[in-house]
Amino acid sequence: MGSDATALASAIRRGHLTAAEAMEASFALAEARADLGALAHLNKPRGRALAGEFDALPGNAPQRYAAFGGVPLVVKDLGAPFLGFPVCAGSALFSRDGLGEHSQLAARFRAAGLCPFALTTVPEFGLSLASEPAVGPVAKNPLDPQLSPGGSSGGAAVAVAAGIAAIAHATDAGGSIRVPAAACGLVGLKPGRGSVPGGPGFGNHLGGIASELAICRSVRDAEAIFAAATIGGVHGPFASPLLEEAKSGPLTIGLVTDMGPDWPVDEARVEAVEAAARVLARNGHRIRPLEGEMVTDLAARSGRIFADIVSINLAELSSRLDFAQAEQMTRAVVARGLGLTASALWASLNEMVYVARDLWRIFDGVDLLLTPMLSGPPLPAGSFPTGHSDTDLHFDRMARFAPLASLANISGAPAITLPFGADAAGLPLPVQLIAPMGQERLLLSIAARLEVEERWTHPFAVAGLT
């Protein structure tokens, strides 16, 4: 855990290095590992200016003692904007002209001491579980550059896994924080609906299914950035009314391993989930195996709703943007959205409510769900091509790779993934925990208990801590 953002902030606070030195170390590693395609846009002047401002603070300034004081940050090229980093959503339809905006989330990240310096690679409009936009660059998994790091926060995961940055802003509308974190051996918390601010500009673009936070190298980093994003967590003048204190005492954990023939999960990843269950059982928690059909039905319904919401979002955007130069899959999703009738969309929105209700019914009998995150190892680059128009095939490929990802988005439930071992090829074995609304702290406490088993070690150190 020594090479995470918390450790880097501690080193800066203790005077072992300055924020400016940490920033220059990130620049150097970004250039040395440019072949990984983590960054879509590097703004050295802005990064240096923010690091310099931090170093110029007086020694007793409260900002110096923020959770991530002076730590370099990479920002996703899709989601809540940060001043100085105009968002292009991985598309040639936008430009980097101007300074961009500063969102509420960006302000909270900055208050936590983070110093942004770059935008990370995303697929065009976040439409893939790979990060290979036509405008480039192609994001590659640091653990094996022949493999994809996932998407849509793929560049964010590459930057953190490779040590270019210790922490990265990320978004999740259908697994886009959790899938790249899982593919790269990292921690990804998707907050529950309403826990983290989305305004003033990003707001409700995707009907409430999208959440924002970060991809991290440790659970303690995820906990600290969640506290910063929610301004005090359960308490404090700006605390979300949705957040609850973590439950104490033994929990009942619903175990999902057998997803059935239509949703196969490989043996190594099932074994990782079972191993995590055994650890939790030894700690006094009750493990209740659940029939796969209890969640696969919800997963299938969630996938259909996700496709409709994403399609109608881009269709609405097409009234203000000319998509003629967009990628073929993007144009096909726009066409799919334009073809949705009002009654079909209304049916999907109603079904979204029913999915949330039916998941709550499962939570009547368990406190958490423990599930696989991915159905298999990270996929080769090119496994999610966007040069075709078969939207059903595209969405199905994503659902099969991360079968229980979109369930958390459609229901609004918080979910976290973390690595729990390595397979025979040395690739991470991720597990996922899903909780009822308002139970992020419970997720983090259980994830922290699994993390201390130390079944996964980051192969690359963080810039500035080497």
Side-chain angles (χ1 to χ4, degrees), residues 65-454:
Y65 299 92
F68 301 113
V71 171
L73 172 75
V74 289
V75 175
K76 186 174 180 178
D77 193 19
L78 180 67
F82 286 65
L83 186 67
F85 299 90
V87 170
C88 290
S91 178
L93 303 186
F94 301 99
S95 75
R96 302 281 183 206
D97 294 339
L99 289 177
E101 302 177 272
H102 207 49
S103 62
Q104 292 174 12
L105 186 65
R108 295 181 184 194
F109 274 46
R110 288 285 294 117
L114 291 163
C115 300
F117 69 91
L119 288 161
T120 58
T121 301
V122 300
E124 187 172 54
F125 292 101
L127 284 177
S128 179
L129 289 184
S131 298
E132 302 165 6
V135 296
V138 171
K140 302 175 183 178
N141 196 318
L143 304 176
D144 181 346
Q146 300 302 311
L147 302 177
S148 169
S152 63
S153 304
V158 173
V160 175
I164 295 169
I167 190 169
H169 163 248
T171 72
D172 192 319
S176 293
I177 287 175
R178 290 162 290 148
V179 170
C184 295
L186 302 168
V187 176
L189 171 65
K190 183 206 84 73
R193 187 172 297 144
S195 294
V196 172
F202 190 58
N204 200 31
H205 282 187
L206 285 168
I209 69 172
S211 295
E212 299 197 59
L213 196 62
I215 289 177
C216 307
R217 293 173 70 94
S218 66
V219 174
R220 70 178 183 178
D221 279 0
E223 184 173 17
I225 194 62
F226 179 70
T230 55
I231 309 230
V234 178
H235 307 295
F238 302 104
S240 168
L242 298 175
L243 301 180
E244 299 178 11
E245 295 282 9
K247 293 182 179 180
S248 59
L251 303 174
T252 300
I253 297 172
L255 177 64
V256 179
T257 53
D258 182 6
M259 300 282 290
D262 293 333
W263 304 81
V265 178
D266 76 14
E267 183 178 351
R269 277 143 193 86
V270 169
E271 288 178 353
V273 176
E274 292 173 340
R278 289 192 294 272
V279 168
L280 296 177
R282 288 199 300 270
N283 281 264
H285 300 298
R286 297 176 293 271
I287 306 300
R288 179 177 295 172
L290 301 179
E291 294 184 6
E293 292 80 359
M294 292 182 69
V295 293
T296 54
D297 174 66
L298 292 178
R301 290 155 63 191
S302 296
R304 292 190 292 269
I305 299 164
F306 171 77
D308 282 352
I309 290 178
V310 169
S311 298
I312 200 66
N313 172 66
L314 281 184
E316 190 280 330
L317 194 59
S318 71
S319 66
R320 292 175 280 125
L321 279 178
D322 180 5
F323 276 87
Q325 301 305 312
E327 295 177 25
Q328 188 174 356
M329 179 53 62
T330 302
R331 298 196 306 271
V333 172
V334 168
R336 186 184 187 281
L338 291 172
L340 275 176
T341 64
S343 60
L345 179 60
W346 180 249
S348 275
L349 295 177
N350 272 343
E351 188 66 14
M352 186 170 163
V353 176
Y354 294 138
V355 166
R357 177 203 64 186
D358 292 344
L359 182 60
W360 270 109
R361 286 177 171 169
I362 293 176
F363 284 131
D364 283 342
V366 300
D367 296 299
L368 291 175
L369 292 177
L370 173 60
T371 81
M373 185 66 242
L374 304 177
S375 61
L379 296 172
S383 294
F384 296 102
T386 57
H388 65 94
S389 298
D390 191 338
T391 57
D392 288 341
L393 175 63
H394 185 67
F395 285 118
D396 182 65
R397 282 171 171 163
M398 293 193 289
R400 289 184 179 279
F401 182 50
L404 293 179
S406 62
L407 170 57
N409 300 96
I410 298 306
S411 66
I416 192 170
T417 187
L418 74 157
F420 200 68
D423 64 14
L427 297 170
L429 294 172
V431 299
Q432 177 177 228
L433 293 160
I434 305 175
M437 291 281 281
Q439 291 289 349
E440 284 91 345
R441 295 194 178 282
L442 183 60
L443 285 180
L444 289 161
S445 67
I446 297 299
R449 178 61 195 87
L450 293 175
E451 185 181 53
V452 298
E453 293 290 306
E454 296 184 342

